[in-house]
């Protein structure tokens, strides 16, 4: 990730990305313009329930937004969602069987028994039952996880003659013990796109929606917004784009689950022959994990 604090995009500004390799290859992106953004007026959700063919019920929250475009009718929009939730595990509870251990770097040949990231160290003499002392905080007990929508949500799928978009379906967040151990923060982004940027995301949407379909695209080729300027010809894929944006976020908590439905409880019991999910490192529990608290997170 390359980030700068010296370049600030402006409405109407035209931007491009130039990439230079040490072997002489140079690529440039098609120039893109930041268009006047629309606005997300509201972000809201509805609790839902459904039953499968066996009659087993499942629950969740359907997330929607109402959005407005800018003053032009020929502008294209895209919506995406990033949700963040917090969960804890207890890797310090699982002691590995005899013959398996986490070696302590500063004490060669000695086993720690529990993961080093727990902040616990085995101080017992060798060949004796472990005795643990805390030498630091647990770095694999509390994590934050991200959920993303699976495919672009594009404005040309939503017919409107006024530039206003009502009740756009963004995502269904399942009611699970991990997601709602505390709460989940839902953030929706509305982007104003130029024609070629919109075309890139449209092709991705088509690939996602056509998977398993008789009408699945044959080549699977995604367009690129880069062209090569110099060097040995080599293909490149990807996109650089500039976009006006509007965001809105909201927390969904266990208190938002209507009675008599209850949030499932996390099972911290061990499951032979290995640990239960609640006994592993939180960094291994679910995808897109980090043990660094996001700046926006409110406990």
């Amino acid at each position: 990730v390359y980030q700068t604090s010296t370049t600030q995009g402006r409405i109407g500004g035209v931007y491009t990305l130039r990439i230079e390799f040490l072997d002489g290859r140079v690529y440039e992106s098609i120039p893109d313009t930041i268009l006047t953004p629309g606005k997300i007026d509201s972000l809201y959700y509805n609790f839902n329930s459904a039953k499968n063919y066996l009659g087993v019920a499942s629950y969740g929250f359907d997330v929607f937004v109402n959005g407005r475009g800018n003053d032009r009718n020929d502008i294209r929009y895209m919506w995406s969602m990033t949700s963040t939730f917090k969960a804890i595990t207890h890797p310090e509870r699982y002691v590995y069987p005899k013959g398996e251990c986490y070696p302590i770097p500063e004490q060669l040949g000695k086993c720690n028994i529990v993961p080093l990231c727990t902040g616990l160290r085995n101080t017992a003499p060798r060949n004796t039952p472990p005795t643990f002392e805390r030498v630091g905080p647990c770095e694999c007990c509390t994590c934050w996880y991200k959920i993303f929508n699976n495919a672009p949500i594009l404005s040309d799928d939503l017919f409107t003659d006024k530039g206003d978009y009502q009740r756009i379906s963004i995502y269904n967040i399942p009611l699970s013990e991990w997601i709602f151990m505390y709460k989940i923060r839902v953030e929706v982004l509305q982007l104003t796109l130029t024609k070629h940027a919109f075309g890139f995301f449209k092709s991705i949407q088509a690939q996602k929606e056509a998977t398993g379909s008789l009408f699945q695209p044959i080549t699977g080729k995604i367009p690129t917004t880069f062209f090569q300027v110099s060097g040995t010809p080599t293909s490149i894929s990807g996109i650089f784009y500039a976009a006006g944006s509007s965001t809105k976020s909201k927390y969904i908590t266990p208190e938002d689950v209507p009675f008599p439905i209850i949030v499932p409880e996390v099972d911290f019991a061990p499951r032979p022959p290995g640990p239960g999910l609640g006994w592993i490192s939180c960094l291994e529990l679910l995808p897109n994990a980090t043990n660094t608290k996001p700046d926006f997170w409110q406990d």
Side-chain angles (χ1 to χ4, degrees), residues 59-61 147 171-176 179-180:
Y59 305 98
F61 290 90
I147 301 174
Y171 199 79
N172 174 262
I173 298 173
L175 181 64
S176 81
I179 293 177
F180 286 93

Side-chain angles (χ1 to χ4, degrees), residues 3-293:
Q3 185 173 342
T4 175
S5 59
T6 59
T7 301
Q8 179 64 48
R10 61 177 177 82
I11 302 300
V14 180
Y15 301 90
T16 188
L17 179 65
R18 180 182 174 93
I19 304 173
E20 300 182 3
F21 288 88
L22 294 177
D23 60 8
R25 288 178 295 149
V26 178
Y27 299 90
E28 289 186 359
S29 67
I30 300 172
D32 207 22
T33 304
I34 296 184
L35 303 174
T36 303
K39 182 181 179 181
I40 295 179
D41 290 324
S42 58
L43 166 62
Y44 54 100
Y45 52 83
N46 290 339
F47 187 78
N48 67 73
S49 63
K51 290 185 178 181
N52 62 17
Y53 69 96
L54 295 175
V56 178
S58 61
Y59 305 98
F61 290 90
D62 291 319
V63 178
F64 303 92
V65 295
N66 294 338
R68 283 188 288 122
N70 58 27
D71 295 334
R72 293 176 54 181
N73 294 326
D74 61 339
I75 302 299
R76 303 160 182 86
Y77 301 96
M78 179 174 71
W79 293 268
S80 62
M81 182 211 71
T82 302
S83 293
T84 307
F85 65 93
K86 170 185 172 182
I88 63 169
T89 60
H90 295 284
E92 76 282 357
R93 295 183 182 178
Y94 181 72
V95 178
Y96 271 77
K98 187 176 181 180
E100 299 182 28
C101 71
Y102 291 98
I104 303 176
E106 62 271 20
Q107 299 182 47
L108 297 180
K110 187 174 182 180
C111 291
N112 202 57
I113 309 299
V114 299
L116 300 179
C117 63
T118 61
L120 299 176
R121 290 295 182 273
N122 178 17
T123 59
R126 296 180 183 178
N127 301 318
T128 63
T131 300
F132 295 105
E133 290 186 6
R134 180 160 296 284
V135 299
C138 180
E139 298 177 346
C140 54
C141 296
T142 303
C143 285
W144 288 262
Y145 308 87
K146 291 188 180 296
I147 301 174
F148 307 94
N149 56 307
N150 299 322
I153 302 168
L154 303 172
S155 59
D156 67 343
D157 298 324
L158 309 164
F159 176 78
T160 175
D161 58 355
K162 297 180 180 180
D164 294 336
Y165 299 90
Q166 302 296 315
R167 200 173 173 79
I168 303 166
S169 179
I170 300 295
Y171 199 79
N172 174 262
I173 298 173
L175 181 64
S176 81
E177 61 272 38
W178 296 108
I179 293 177
F180 286 93
M181 178 178 282
Y182 294 96
K183 58 186 175 181
I184 182 169
R185 180 183 185 270
V186 180
E187 179 176 282
V188 177
L189 173 69
Q190 175 177 304
L191 295 176
T192 308
L193 301 179
T194 55
K195 182 178 180 180
H196 68 263
F198 188 88
F200 177 91
F201 289 108
K202 182 66 178 178
S203 65
I204 292 178
Q205 182 194 55
Q207 291 289 329
K208 289 281 190 178
E209 294 180 349
T211 301
S213 167
L214 292 174
F215 304 101
Q216 182 173 358
I218 298 176
T219 63
K221 185 174 178 60
I222 302 295
T224 180
T225 64
F226 288 91
F227 60 93
Q228 189 165 358
V229 176
S230 62
T232 303
T234 309
S235 61
I236 184 173
S237 299
I239 183 174
F240 169 80
Y241 68 102
S245 65
S246 174
T247 63
K248 194 169 284 290
S249 63
K250 182 182 290 290
Y251 283 96
I252 307 177
T253 72
E255 287 70 31
D256 294 312
V257 178
F259 181 82
I261 308 301
I262 60 174
V263 178
E265 292 186 3
V266 173
D267 184 4
F268 284 112
R271 291 289 177 263
L277 282 179
W279 289 38
I280 67 175
S281 163
C282 68
L283 294 169
E284 301 174 4
L285 175 66
L286 296 167
N288 306 316
T290 178
N291 58 2
T292 301
K293 180 180 177 179

